[in-house]
Amino acid sequence: MNVIVMQDIKSYLEGFAQFEKDAAQNGLAWLNPIRQAAIDRFSELGFPTTRDEDWRFTNVTAIARTPFRLPHDGYIELAPQDIDPFVFPGLKCSQIVFVNGRYSPGLSNLLPLPNGVRIASLTQALTSDRSLIEPHLAQYADYQRDAFSALNTAFMYDGAFVYITKGTVLQEPIHILYISTATADPIITHPRNLIVMDENSQATIVEDHASLGSDVYFSNVVTEAIVGENSVLSYYFIERESKKAFNVSTLRIQQGRSSNVVTHSMLIGGALVRSNVHLILAGEGGECIVNGLFMSTGRQHMDNYMRVEHASPHCDSRQLYKGILDGRSRGVFHGRIIVHKNAQKTDAKQTNKNLLLSDDAQIDTKPQLEIYADDVKCTHGATIGQMDKDAIFYMRSRGIAEESARALLLLAFAGENLQRMKVEPIRKRLEEIVAQWFNQRKFLESV
């Protein structure tokens, strides 16, 4: 490890010492061993490099060498209209809002909830709902293996806590909105979300990251979701941040017997974005769909790392990820399906399709299968292509302008992912965002 990287790690260790001193005053002594173990592990791991196989195509030097600071405590004043661009018209939902990583009660709006259901700031819940949180927090996201998860666990302070009691079906989605604002210096936030669903429950959750400015900052977020037996979870992850922002997210889902999970990911912002999605089908008869769309331009870098583990028999999984790349941007898809020895009768399929709109755009795709059982049905595949010139010519011969023809083809390409999103107000708003991206895109030679 070179001297510069050592200095980068040292600054985080110094920051942790101050953070720990401040955190000691909040009465959460039971978290101290977890935080200390995590920062010790981060010190051992250091930031990943391209020599690490899981980070082969993504260089995080820009993150490691930027002097980020933790945000100052205190409420940042925002008006409700400031977040209007990030709501979903026509959607009735409970909304919990965080500004620069801190809970904003004035911007949040929680609908009446069934008995026993909890939606709260993690900071508050660590005290009021310790018995619900302690068995699960930091038990699933593997900070021993991943440096960014270790860093998040060491500095975790706030985020969303959602607890859904046995047999409860939430009709309205939960919108977890993270807003970043302009700051004097680049800040780093470590949002930590914990979702606990008892058996026979159902929910839709939207995790949304957005910016009010065009500043440099780093959001290092970890979400742990525990989905009980016979429960159903639809999880949306939307990243639409500043084109100068860094975002590393980890979504770790533990599925119980006969549970059903659908995840939707949409990446459109950020300078460097890494999305980790890791599901474990731990109970027999579980099903999951992993659906994602990423669109990049300029010099954006978007890395999608998928890991689906079949740990029990008779489980099904489907992955469909699509990338649309323009300018000099770069995309990565690294998908792994792991079938454990006892996971007989597994049915798994993985598909990655990519469309390059520029000669300078680049995609690295690496679908993988690791199969240790002998009675399974698993497939994977990846494609990389450009706009279909014959299709464009055909539409132009029917009187459609060339730019309109291109937009129609692009919308059709993205539409397969968008149509999987069943909540209509969310799908319509994301369709609008995709259309705006198509209309405004430029072939950037530099940023």
Side-chain angles (χ1 to χ4, degrees):
M1 184 181 294
N2 61 46
V3 175
I4 294 177
V5 175
M6 283 296 292
Q7 291 174 344
D8 296 333
I9 294 175
K10 183 180 178 181
S11 68
Y12 283 94
L13 298 181
E14 293 171 349
F16 177 76
Q18 182 60 48
F19 172 81
E20 189 179 33
K21 186 183 300 182
D22 296 339
Q25 303 174 11
N26 61 19
L28 297 175
W30 66 274
L31 277 179
N32 293 343
I34 299 174
R35 286 175 169 151
Q36 188 62 56
I39 197 65
D40 290 344
R41 186 54 179 158
F42 172 72
S43 180
E44 295 170 358
L45 292 171
F47 285 103
T49 72
T50 53
R51 288 175 293 182
D52 299 310
E53 186 60 29
D54 289 347
W55 293 85
R56 178 180 169 189
F57 304 111
T58 298
N59 188 333
V60 300
T61 301
I63 292 176
R65 296 184 180 179
T66 300
F68 295 108
R69 64 167 178 80
L70 293 172
H72 297 303
D73 288 332
Y75 178 69
I76 297 174
E77 294 289 343
L78 290 179
Q81 56 266 29
D82 290 332
I83 67 171
D84 283 349
F86 312 116
V87 301
F88 300 95
L91 180 66
K92 183 181 179 182
C93 66
S94 288
Q95 183 168 269
I96 181 167
V97 181
F98 300 83
V99 180
N100 291 347
R102 299 294 189 260
Y103 173 55
S104 173
L107 297 176
S108 300
N109 179 31
L110 300 182
L111 301 176
L113 299 171
N115 290 335
V117 174
R118 295 278 287 128
I119 303 175
S121 158
L122 183 64
T123 298
Q124 298 171 346
L126 285 169
T127 301
S128 62
D129 296 289
R130 176 179 171 181
S131 62
L132 298 176
I133 291 176
E134 191 171 5
H136 302 291
L137 187 65
Q139 299 300 309
Y140 302 96
D142 190 359
Y143 66 79
Q144 292 293 330
R145 181 175 178 270
D146 178 67
F148 287 104
S149 291
L151 196 61
N152 175 284
T153 303
F155 285 94
M156 60 181 173
Y157 176 81
D158 211 350
F161 170 61
V162 178
Y163 172 70
I164 303 175
T165 54
K166 178 180 178 180
T168 300
V169 176
L170 290 185
Q171 301 295 337
E172 290 81 21
I174 300 168
H175 186 197
I176 305 169
L177 178 59
Y178 288 96
I179 297 289
S180 295
T181 67
T183 56
D185 302 306
I187 64 169
I188 181 171
T189 60
H190 302 281
R192 187 70 176 227
N193 303 309
L194 179 63
I195 318 296
V196 181
M197 299 177 64
D198 283 345
E199 59 265 32
N200 300 304
S201 60
Q202 184 172 333
T204 297
I205 297 176
V206 184
E207 181 184 338
D208 196 349
H209 296 260
S211 305
L212 287 179
S214 57
D215 298 270
V216 176
Y217 63 89
F218 177 27
S219 179
N220 177 35
V221 57
V222 171
T223 299
E224 294 176 299
I226 300 89
V227 183
E229 182 176 337
N230 294 314
S231 292
V232 179
L233 172 64
S234 294
Y235 203 94
Y236 293 73
F237 180 86
I238 303 168
E239 188 279 322
R240 40 176 165 170
E241 297 176 291
S242 159
K243 292 295 176 61
K244 296 180 181 179
F246 303 103
N247 183 297
V248 176
S249 66
T250 298
L251 174 60
R252 171 66 172 82
I253 300 179
Q254 187 83 359
Q255 291 190 233
R257 182 185 179 92
S258 300
S259 63
N260 185 292
V261 171
V262 180
T263 70
H264 305 284
S265 174
M266 181 169 177
L267 311 180
I268 198 169
L272 188 156
V273 177
R274 164 80 173 213
S275 173
N276 302 299
V277 178
H278 182 190
L279 300 93
I280 294 185
L281 293 150
E284 184 175 353
E287 297 179 355
C288 71
I289 295 175
V290 184
N291 179 50
L293 175 66
F294 58 100
M295 301 186 296
S296 61
T297 188
R299 294 183 181 271
Q300 289 180 282
H301 184 105
M302 294 185 174
D303 185 343
N304 301 271
Y305 181 84
M306 307 296 109
R307 186 176 179 182
V308 176
E309 292 191 50
H310 288 256
S312 293
H314 298 281
C315 292
D316 296 349
S317 69
R318 296 290 184 270
Q319 297 180 48
L320 175 62
Y321 258 68
K322 289 188 178 183
I324 302 173
L325 297 93
D326 201 356
R328 296 187 176 185
S329 64
R330 183 173 182 179
V332 180
F333 175 82
H334 184 176
R336 297 177 66 189
I337 296 174
I338 303 174
V339 182
H340 291 267
K341 183 177 180 180
N342 295 326
Q344 304 294 346
K345 302 297 183 181
T346 286
D347 186 348
K349 185 176 182 180
Q350 180 187 87
T351 305
N352 173 228
K353 299 179 181 180
N354 303 282
L355 194 59
L356 305 183
L357 306 182
S358 163
D359 292 338
D360 295 319
Q362 181 179 344
I363 181 73
D364 295 290
T365 181
K366 186 181 178 184
Q368 286 183 293
L369 296 176
E370 296 181 30
I371 302 174
Y372 303 99
D374 53 17
D375 186 5
V376 302
K377 182 169 65 175
C378 298
T379 63
H380 65 76
T383 62
I384 302 171
Q386 296 179 322
M387 297 287 285
D388 188 336
K389 294 181 180 179
D390 291 339
I392 293 173
F393 177 80
Y394 175 82
M395 285 190 283
R396 291 189 66 189
S397 70
R398 296 300 186 271
I400 300 175
E402 182 173 353
E403 282 305 307
S404 297
R406 289 178 177 273
L408 286 171
L409 288 176
L410 291 172
L411 285 169
F413 182 79
E416 185 178 2
N417 296 86
L418 296 171
Q419 288 303 312
R420 292 185 172 204
M421 302 177 183
K422 301 304 182 183
V423 182
E424 186 175 0
I426 298 176
R427 184 182 68 250
K428 285 187 174 180
R429 181 65 187 120
L430 295 183
E431 287 173 346
E432 291 173 0
I433 291 173
V434 170
Q436 290 168 4
W437 186 91
F438 292 156
N439 292 333
Q440 296 172 3
R441 69 184 182 86
K442 296 179 180 179
F443 294 91
L444 302 179
E445 294 300 324
S446 62
V447 175

